[in-house]
């Protein structure tokens, strides 16, 4: 079974600064996807960024980037130029690659507060 | 906002009662997954439906059951409610063979008293 661990229950960052959220995972699979989801107070999970395990290049989406270390099973999220709207719960998630859809396995989340 | 809608947004039930939660999937999506998110935790996979059949199940008892309809909308039914069933229930729709992204609804907050 896969597990996802987020060791930082809460973090805070000043507006316009950079923050990094940590995530480690455990799996015996070789082909999988990793995700970061954002859950604001509205409760809706929003996909922030996705990484395919077979790709060595780290994914980037505007101000969001990841540091994917496959051998270390580490998948951190860096948020640059933090904005007040980034305040939310952030969840790291794992999905096994399969011909159909497999479920997401989530970590417990990190609550990020962006301070003006 | 995604095209996934859930109803109701909140409800309160008494222990031992039964509840039905509903989810309308995003247009064109043929797979619906349900997750339970307890307070302060990450979502836990309950089950998934594909083409109206259960297509995978997490570690939840049989009193958690579901349906998927021909239009791909879905229901989650929970019988004999327990206090620990109090949680946010999230529905996610996706397209088999259409990529990996799952689109989530805003959830139903269930409180069991």
């Amino acid at each position: 079974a896969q597990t996802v661990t987020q060791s930082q229950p809460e973090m805070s960052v000043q507006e316009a600064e950079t923050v990094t959220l940590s995530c480690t995972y455990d799996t015996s699979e070789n082909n999988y996807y990793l995700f970061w989801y954002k859950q604001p107070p509205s409760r809706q999970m929003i996909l922030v960024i996705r990484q395919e395990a077979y790709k060595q290049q780290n994914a980037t989406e505007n101000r969001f980037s990841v540091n994917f270390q496959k051998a270390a099973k580490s998948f951190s999220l860096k948020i640059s130029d933090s904005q007040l709207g980034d305040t939310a719960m952030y969840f790291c998630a794992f999905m096994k690659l399969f011909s159909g859809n497999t479920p997401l396995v989530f970590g417990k989340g990190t609550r990020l507060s962006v301070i003006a | 906002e995604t095209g996934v809608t859930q109803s109701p947004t909140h409800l309160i039930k008494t222990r031992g009662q039964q509840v039905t939660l509903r989810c309308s999937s995003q247009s064109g999506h043929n797979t619906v997954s349900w997750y339970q998110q307890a307070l302060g935790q990450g979502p836990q996979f309950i089950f998934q439906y594909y083409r109206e059949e259960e297509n995978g199940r997490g570690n939840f008892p049989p009193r958690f059951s579901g349906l998927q309809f021909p239009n791909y909308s879905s229901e989650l039914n929970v019988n004999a409610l327990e206090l620990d069933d109090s949680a946010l229930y999230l529905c996610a729709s996706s397209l088999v063979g259409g990529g990996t992204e799952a689109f989530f609804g805003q959830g139903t907050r269930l409180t069991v008293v």
Side-chain angles (χ1 to χ4, degrees):
Chain A
Q2 291 77 32
T3 59
V4 176
T5 301
Q6 294 180 248
S7 58
Q8 305 153 314
E10 293 189 27
M11 293 193 71
S12 62
V13 62
Q14 290 289 132
E15 199 175 5
E17 296 296 307
T18 296
V19 64
T20 298
L21 308 184
S22 300
C23 172
T24 58
Y25 59 95
D26 189 27
T27 184
S28 58
E29 301 288 332
N30 193 47
N31 296 314
Y32 51 87
Y33 294 90
L34 293 164
F35 305 84
W36 279 98
Y37 277 89
K38 169 184 177 181
Q39 188 178 41
S42 67
R43 309 183 319 204
Q44 190 163 39
M45 286 280 192
I46 301 165
L47 179 64
V48 174
I49 198 164
R50 167 177 50 210
Q51 175 78 44
E52 292 87 343
Y54 63 86
K55 290 187 177 179
Q56 291 188 339
Q57 187 173 6
N58 289 323
T60 62
E61 285 287 343
N62 301 314
R63 300 184 292 109
F64 300 88
S65 62
V66 298
N67 183 3
F68 173 48
Q69 301 290 327
K70 190 173 183 179
K73 295 180 182 174
S74 169
F75 183 61
S76 61
L77 173 70
K78 186 171 81 171
I79 306 174
S80 304
D81 185 25
S82 297
Q83 300 175 1
L84 296 177
D86 295 333
T87 293
M89 286 291 294
Y90 285 81
F91 292 94
C92 178
F94 172 101
M95 185 172 79
K96 188 170 60 173
L97 180 61
F98 185 59
S99 58
N101 279 104
T102 59
L104 292 159
V105 178
F106 287 90
K108 289 188 175 183
T110 296
R111 183 178 301 279
L112 176 66
S113 299
V114 180
I115 302 164
Chain B
E1 292 243 341
T2 70
V4 181
T5 58
Q6 292 186 242
S7 61
T9 54
H10 299 83
L11 77 165
I12 299 173
K13 288 286 189 177
T14 302
R15 189 172 51 181
Q17 285 187 315
Q18 179 266 343
V19 69
T20 298
L21 310 182
R22 295 178 174 83
C23 172
S24 294
S25 60
Q26 180 143 320
S27 177
H29 282 187
N30 54 19
T31 301
V32 173
S33 302
W34 286 91
Y35 293 83
Q36 181 195 65
Q37 185 178 11
L39 196 62
Q41 302 293 317
Q44 298 287 317
F45 174 68
I46 303 174
F47 46 55
Q48 181 182 88
Y49 277 82
Y50 170 62
R51 291 186 175 177
E52 303 177 52
E53 292 195 3
E54 190 178 289
N55 186 39
R57 189 178 185 93
N59 189 26
F60 281 81
R63 59 190 185 83
F64 285 78
S65 63
L67 284 172
Q68 187 181 32
F69 301 99
N71 66 354
Y72 302 130
S73 65
S74 177
E75 287 182 355
L76 164 65
N77 299 292
V78 187
N79 293 322
L81 283 166
E82 301 177 359
L83 297 179
D84 285 348
D85 295 333
S86 295
L88 179 68
Y89 288 84
L90 295 167
C91 165
S93 78
S94 55
L95 179 63
V96 170
T100 59
E101 185 168 358
F103 292 86
F104 284 83
Q106 81 282 15
T108 294
R109 171 77 66 192
L110 172 64
T111 302
V112 182
V113 298

